[in-house]
Amino acid sequence: MMVKKIAQTLTGLWSLVVGLRVTGKNFFQPQITVHYPREKVESIEGYRGHIELVPKDNDPFTARCMACGSCARVCPSGCITLHIKKVTEPAVSAKKEDNSQKPEQNNQKAAPAKKTKTKRVLEAFELNYNYCSLCGLCVQSCPAGGLRFSDNVYLAGFSRKEFEFDLLARMRAQKEGK
Amino acid sequence: MLDFKLDEIEQSGDFYTRNFQPTPEENKLVLNMGPQHPSTHGVLRIILEIDGEYILRAEPVLGYIHRMQEKMAEVKTYPQYLPNMGRVDYLHALAWNWAYAGAVEKLMGLEVPERAEYIRVITCELNRINSHLLWWGAYLLDLGAFTPIMYAFADREIVMDILQRITGSRLTYCYYRFGGVSADIDQKFINDTREFCKYMRGRFPIYKDLVTDNIILRKRVEDIGHINLETCRKYGATGPVLRGSGKPYDVRRAEPYSVYDRFDFEIPVYDEKDALARYLVRMDEMEQSLRIIEQALDSLPEGDYIHPKTPKNPKPPKGEAYFAVEGARGKIGVYLVSDGSKSPYRLKLRSPGFSNLSLFAEIARGTLLADAISILGSLDLVIPEIDR
Amino acid sequence: MINLPLPLIQILIGLIGILAFVGLNGLVLVYLERKIAGHIQRRPGPFEVGPHGILQPLADAVKLVGKQLITPKGADSVLYWAAPIISFAPAIVCFLPLPFGPKLTNIDINVGLVLILAFTGLNVLALCLAGWSSQNKWSLLGAARDISQSVAYEIPLLLSVLPIMMLSGSLNLYEISTSQGAWPWQWHIIYQPLGFFIFFICILAETNRAPFDLPEAESELTAGFHTEYSGMGFGLFFLAEYSYMIVACAMASILFLGGFNGPIVSGWWWFLFKVYALLIVMIWLRWTYPRVRFDQLLNICWKWLIPLSLINLLVTALFIKL
């Protein structure tokens, strides 16, 4: 009984030595910390930033978005607001000057008259990133493949206002920047 | 100087401190542990009546992080509720993802492609390892060892990198969709995961040397917080708490869902019923998860990762469905009632943490304060999940 | 010109030197502790203030000094603020009889050992006052833990020191140092390995270091006896803790490791080297082990350390007699 207890104590003490050996070994191993401002994390592949609009393949200033609004409807937090203007244009030729000046009047007048097509044009794609939970439902629901996640890991700001984006303007600004 | 009367201080507490039946013992101290306390892992509050350091009574007070998750489901459409599931239990988010997606699929009669099932198994098990690792670190932090949590975080980081590539998030995943998952896995994911399995196997001996075999830890967890099967049954405890009490109940085996019946894995069971048993169950479970992941990677079939005809805005037929999965903390259940509209009529979430915490009041009685913290840690509580 | 007696001048100079030494050592130890903890946990530790974070402890100290001192509502303000001072002041006195080098002893008194043991005992009183006067239940629990822990561990501590007194035949720390030779096999640890082991465990418990840091067990008692202290109130406790660590390690190196005696050239460098080596071991232990439970702590003391040290004492006495 006594012998057993002493043996137990000795093995217990030995386990303490083993523990010290583990931490001692780790002391001399290289550190894992990434010193952030000086170094950057490598593994940001697949990171989901806020969403952004995908430009058309042939025209980098126009979004693929066809303003159907399915992303706004599916969003659980209601972060997406689409500003759409309805443009009516003749089916045959393009008279863009008229349309852009008075779109609403045009819409009312022109609709019954000729064979025309009503087109929804995206004016602004407002994203309130403050409420976004990055679920990705909008990206998936888009029938045109017009949304994707940005990869800006280092996004930061001082106020909520800075996280209210107009994605259309952002996309154009980015293209112009390039 | 301040004129202070002790009675006033006693009177000044809140509803819970003023309105609870005190134990008849004299010379006791009423102590509020939490909502801000280093060992309550968030905003759990426990009212303790102690005599010296012995606990006469412990009463958990819940609801500090109640977010109305169940009510939220009633006002959102089915897909809109998906991101909520990542926030219920942030440590094993994918299991909750799965439970909800599974319930909706069951109601809709939606078939999940085989590849998607395998992806779900792999990612869910990776997430389980992650959850257990964090529990391990945090538990040792409760017991006063600071270093293990840093090692656990280093290992967690690898899993999070792997999962981030596929799911896009690192913690609150929203990856599973009705009829599959939101993105396919690629060869790099497979290679990384295999490498991680190998790496993790090499880490277990270090964990064992540093912590599990340590005599101080052993003395802190052995013979503490005995939970017998009867108590487990009474409170509905599941997961490692139940398996640490000697009952090999695991939803993955008991009610096999998905493709879990195809894998060869063991359910770790310990008969000691104490905190050490629960500790060892979780440590063994990590190894079993690695086994499952490796098997799933070996037999990963080709095919769709999501059912091609998944409706975008599902309207499940009138009816009800219950789907349970095995989470890191126990049986996660989602009970769903549909009235045929596009949002659920009622959703009930069965969180294992709630049942596991409930028995704390019973087993903490008569223990030392330090033991109570050890017991609390061994239950592996995630407060947002308990309060929902 | 005022004629001050020489010993008084000596003590004053010594006190100034000791205060500087204690302050500097506090900074060095904080830095060392955090760096070692960092490296053990595979992170760099403090890194941003100064090269490799070397100025971090200084920045922390400035922050502590600059903080508002808050007395909690209902606290006994006199006792509350007396406690940190009572904790820190005896620590200074403990440095006085320490022989840092062959000619570096502040006051050479023949009961140095007893003086140190007596003054370190005062710390218990301070922690007790701090816990009691804070009007905080966690502090009270911490103080209660500290008292029973310190009182219990004082016994094996004394019992493990007694054989050294027998071996060297003196209570004067300088004489104890010089009774040992320069080389490790001439030190008392060779004759008293068990005594050293017990002494080391006891000083861990006496200085509230992990794995015996129960009075301030932050996962159990939030911060134990100093829960309510802010600014320099906490700072003094902190400094006192580190000072007591140094005193304890200095005692260990004088009693068991030959003090300032060392191979090749004896001197204060050997003394500091031994002290710091022991301190590093203490830090290493802290970042490796979980905390023991309260009853286990007392069990270790009463069931193991005291009987073992008694046996050790008896065996030593027998050997000396033979």
Side-chain angles (χ1 to χ4, degrees):
Chain A
M1 185 63 204
M2 192 68 190
V3 178
K4 204 182 160 193
K5 204 167 181 194
I6 288 169
Q8 267 180 356
T9 312
L10 285 180
T11 48
L13 285 175
W14 178 245
S15 78
L16 297 181
V17 178
V18 170
L20 279 180
R21 210 168 56 199
V22 172
T23 43
K25 244 188 232 164
N26 272 291
F27 181 83
F28 292 106
Q29 270 170 6
Q31 292 157 16
I32 320 176
T33 308
V34 179
H35 293 255
Y36 163 60
R38 295 176 288 275
E39 299 166 20
K40 296 237 159 124
V41 185
E42 288 162 14
S43 53
I44 51 165
E45 198 188 340
Y47 174 83
R48 291 202 296 214
H50 65 80
I51 49 170
E52 61 182 9
L53 288 170
V54 184
K56 275 183 182 158
D57 294 332
N58 49 7
D59 178 11
F61 286 95
T62 320
R64 273 193 205 169
C65 173
M66 47 198 205
C68 64
S70 76
C71 49
R73 255 174 281 126
V74 81
C75 180
S77 332
C79 338
I80 300 171
T81 320
L82 296 183
H83 296 276
I84 298 160
K85 85 178 164 186
K86 283 194 177 140
V87 175
T88 315
E89 55 183 29
V92 195
S93 66
K95 288 176 185 170
K96 274 180 181 167
E97 304 92 53
D98 280 4
N99 293 334
S100 56
Q101 276 167 5
K102 289 173 183 175
E104 280 151 58
Q105 285 178 359
N106 259 342
N107 190 15
Q108 285 165 351
K109 278 181 194 170
K114 269 186 199 174
K115 211 182 177 187
T116 51
K117 209 164 85 181
T118 313
K119 212 175 149 195
R120 293 156 68 90
V121 174
L122 186 67
E123 266 197 326
F125 191 104
E126 205 179 284
L127 169 72
N128 190 345
Y129 189 45
N130 294 311
Y131 301 127
C132 176
S133 49
L134 294 165
C135 59
L137 287 170
C138 47
V139 176
Q140 263 179 343
S141 74
C142 187
L147 284 173
R148 68 175 176 222
F149 288 108
S150 63
D151 53 2
N152 183 8
V153 183
Y154 304 104
L155 182 69
F158 286 103
S159 76
R160 285 181 168 228
K161 273 269 177 280
E162 288 174 48
F163 296 107
E164 289 162 14
F165 307 114
D166 178 5
L167 293 182
L168 194 64
R170 183 180 174 274
M171 183 191 85
R172 286 180 181 148
Q174 266 186 349
K175 285 291 167 233
E176 274 162 7
K178 278 175 189 172
Chain B
M1 284 270 98
L2 285 169
D3 189 21
F4 228 84
K5 290 205 178 79
L6 208 65
D7 293 353
E8 279 171 26
I9 302 170
E10 303 272 285
Q11 281 301 310
S12 62
D14 68 345
F15 177 83
Y16 291 101
T17 33
R18 268 180 279 121
N19 298 285
F20 80 125
Q21 204 110 52
T23 40
E25 262 100 338
E26 285 185 353
N27 293 328
K28 63 182 193 285
L29 194 67
V30 179
L31 197 60
N32 263 309
M33 196 164 101
Q36 283 88 33
H37 186 276
S39 299
T40 50
H41 301 271
V43 285
L44 173 66
R45 174 179 170 199
I46 297 167
I47 298 178
L48 296 173
E49 267 185 280
I50 53 176
D51 175 15
E53 290 218 6
Y54 282 95
I55 291 172
L56 302 172
R57 209 174 71 138
E59 187 150 304
V61 180
L62 305 180
Y64 285 91
I65 191 165
H66 178 52
R67 291 156 299 167
M68 295 181 283
Q69 296 279 11
E70 290 174 5
K71 179 67 192 169
M72 257 191 254
E74 294 167 24
V75 295
K76 290 187 170 188
T77 64
Y78 283 92
Q80 276 181 351
Y81 191 61
L82 277 168
N84 277 50
M85 295 326 282
R87 273 90 182 159
V88 176
D89 175 356
Y90 49 81
L91 287 183
H92 202 184
L94 284 175
W96 280 93
N97 268 236
W98 200 343
Y100 176 62
V104 176
E105 281 155 9
K106 202 170 172 183
L107 206 54
M108 287 163 65
L110 197 63
E111 190 84 18
V112 182
E114 207 163 89
R115 185 177 173 85
E117 294 277 27
Y118 273 78
I119 297 174
R120 282 183 178 184
V121 168
I122 295 164
T123 49
C124 185
E125 293 303 322
L126 278 174
N127 203 188
R128 187 191 311 277
I129 292 172
N130 233 354
S131 171
H132 280 339
L133 276 176
L134 188 83
W135 159 81
W136 182 74
Y139 185 37
L140 283 150
L141 211 53
D142 289 351
L143 297 177
F146 298 87
T147 304
I149 195 167
M150 291 296 167
Y151 295 168
F153 264 78
D155 297 342
R156 265 168 64 80
E157 208 63 21
I158 300 169
V159 184
M160 292 207 290
D161 282 347
I162 291 173
L163 285 177
Q164 177 200 293
R165 270 193 75 251
I166 300 304
T167 66
S169 352
R170 292 174 78 81
L171 195 70
T172 48
Y173 304 104
C174 175
Y175 179 52
Y176 298 170
R177 297 287 190 265
F178 309 133
V181 292
S182 71
D184 202 4
I185 59 174
D186 54 5
Q187 195 55 44
K188 186 166 186 306
F189 174 88
I190 296 171
N191 295 344
D192 284 352
T193 312
R194 275 191 200 283
E195 211 165 281
F196 168 74
C197 290
K198 232 181 272 163
Y199 166 83
M200 202 57 214
R201 289 231 161 82
R203 295 292 283 181
F204 289 134
I206 296 175
Y207 289 177
K208 193 169 182 305
D209 282 349
L210 178 62
V211 177
T212 313
D213 281 349
N214 190 303
I215 183 82
I216 301 176
L217 179 100
R218 288 260 165 178
K219 294 279 176 205
R220 283 299 301 277
V221 293
E222 248 169 2
D223 276 335
I224 281 167
H226 284 272
I227 307 174
N228 55 29
L229 274 177
E230 190 50 41
T231 318
C232 286
R233 203 171 288 130
K234 250 178 11 199
Y235 290 95
T238 46
V241 177
L242 182 61
R243 291 195 283 277
S245 296
K247 174 96 180 151
Y249 178 81
D250 188 317
V251 185
R252 291 175 293 183
R253 268 286 154 73
E255 314 158 26
Y257 54 97
S258 183
V259 287
Y260 271 114
D261 48 354
R262 298 183 199 174
F263 303 121
D264 170 37
F265 65 99
E266 279 156 27
I267 298 168
V269 178
Y270 284 85
D271 235 349
E272 285 78 17
K273 303 180 172 47
D274 54 1
L276 180 65
R278 298 191 277 280
Y279 174 96
L280 291 173
V281 164
R282 292 199 183 91
M283 294 311 271
D284 290 359
E285 252 179 40
M286 280 196 260
E287 287 185 59
Q288 296 305 323
S289 287
L290 289 180
R291 271 181 73 188
I292 296 173
I293 292 166
E294 276 176 344
Q295 288 173 42
L297 286 173
D298 286 339
S299 53
L300 186 69
E302 291 295 321
D304 290 327
Y305 62 92
I306 188 162
H307 195 274
K309 280 178 193 155
T310 312
K312 217 168 242 176
N313 229 337
K315 284 184 187 170
K318 236 179 202 172
E320 48 194 81
Y322 179 74
F323 194 76
V325 299
E326 180 73 23
R329 271 152 283 281
K331 187 178 187 174
I332 292 170
V334 169
Y335 177 64
L336 189 67
V337 182
S338 164
D339 57 357
S341 69
K342 58 185 181 176
S343 49
Y345 175 74
R346 171 85 172 95
L347 184 82
K348 162 78 184 140
L349 307 174
R350 185 219 184 268
S351 73
F354 182 77
S355 313
N356 293 355
L357 173 66
S358 304
L359 49 77
F360 175 73
E362 195 165 305
I363 54 172
R365 201 172 296 143
T367 56
L368 280 165
L369 187 60
D371 281 349
I373 278 151
S374 174
I375 295 166
L376 205 60
S378 79
L379 295 176
D380 190 7
L381 304 170
V382 171
I383 311 303
E385 180 206 49
I386 294 168
D387 286 350
R388 295 195 289 289
Chain C
M1 188 160 173
I2 314 157
N3 256 337
L4 283 173
L6 190 68
L8 193 62
I9 295 172
Q10 203 182 348
I11 285 178
L12 276 177
I13 293 171
L15 270 179
I16 291 163
I18 282 162
L19 275 172
F21 179 73
V22 165
L24 193 71
N25 246 316
L27 296 183
V28 172
L29 265 184
V30 170
Y31 182 71
L32 205 63
E33 169 121 48
R34 292 180 63 181
K35 269 291 179 198
I36 291 177
H39 281 262
I40 280 178
Q41 297 168 355
R42 306 192 58 190
R43 56 193 178 82
F47 205 82
E48 300 301 325
V49 190
H52 281 260
I54 199 138
L55 297 176
Q56 184 68 50
L58 204 64
D60 288 347
V62 170
K63 181 203 73 177
L64 274 181
V65 171
K67 272 192 166 181
Q68 190 190 357
L69 298 173
I70 298 163
T71 315
K73 194 178 171 188
D76 186 329
S77 56
V78 178
L79 288 182
Y80 183 76
W81 289 115
I85 297 164
I86 295 176
S87 174
F88 181 64
I92 306 290
V93 181
C94 291
F95 280 90
L96 286 174
L98 288 181
F100 285 83
K103 289 196 177 74
L104 258 177
T105 313
N106 198 276
I107 41 171
D108 191 17
I109 51 170
N110 54 5
V111 285
L113 187 59
V114 180
L115 186 123
I116 287 178
L117 290 173
F119 273 93
T120 46
L122 271 180
N123 194 29
V124 189
L125 180 69
L127 302 196
C128 169
L129 286 181
W132 181 255
S133 62
S134 293
Q135 176 81 12
N136 182 318
K137 293 167 181 172
W138 299 110
S139 303
L140 189 62
L141 283 174
R145 279 182 175 195
D146 181 71
I147 293 161
S148 37
Q149 174 177 338
S150 295
V151 168
Y153 271 84
E154 213 113 284
I155 302 163
L157 185 81
L158 290 172
L159 287 177
S160 63
V161 169
L162 274 177
I164 301 296
M165 288 191 231
M166 291 174 171
L167 280 173
S168 56
S170 170
L171 283 173
N172 187 325
L173 289 171
Y174 181 78
E175 274 169 34
I176 293 173
S177 298
T178 45
S179 71
Q180 301 168 74
W183 297 93
W185 54 86
Q186 294 166 316
W187 296 345
H188 284 323
I189 188 170
I190 297 300
Y191 311 106
Q192 291 290 327
L194 188 63
F196 178 72
F197 182 67
I198 292 166
F199 185 82
F200 194 71
I201 291 177
C202 289
I203 59 174
L204 281 180
E206 285 284 322
T207 52
N208 301 333
R209 290 289 297 183
F212 305 119
D213 56 343
L214 291 140
E216 46 195 295
E218 66 281 334
S219 55
E220 291 157 26
L221 306 179
T222 58
F225 61 88
H226 60 62
T227 306
E228 294 288 355
Y229 281 90
S230 64
M232 256 342 255
F234 166 74
L236 277 182
F237 275 124
F238 203 64
L239 204 56
E241 192 193 305
Y242 278 106
S243 311
Y244 282 117
M245 270 168 70
I246 298 166
V247 171
C249 287
M251 289 273 285
S253 60
I254 291 165
L255 295 176
F256 293 95
L257 302 175
F260 52 77
N261 293 305
I264 308 165
V265 190
S266 296
W268 55 268
W269 44 88
W270 275 112
F271 181 72
L272 278 189
F273 172 76
K274 284 167 192 165
V275 171
Y276 269 87
L278 285 175
L279 284 170
I280 285 170
V281 172
M282 274 171 110
I283 292 168
W284 186 10
L285 289 173
R286 172 169 177 196
W287 298 102
T288 305
Y289 299 139
R291 186 180 302 117
V292 300
R293 207 172 59 208
F294 190 62
D295 56 327
Q296 290 165 355
L297 177 92
L298 294 182
N299 275 347
I300 294 171
C301 178
W302 295 108
K303 289 189 181 163
W304 289 98
L305 296 184
I306 292 181
L308 277 177
S309 52
L310 276 173
I311 293 169
N312 188 38
L313 181 66
L314 282 176
V315 171
T316 317
L318 266 177
F319 266 96
I320 289 172
K321 261 279 172 267
L322 294 173

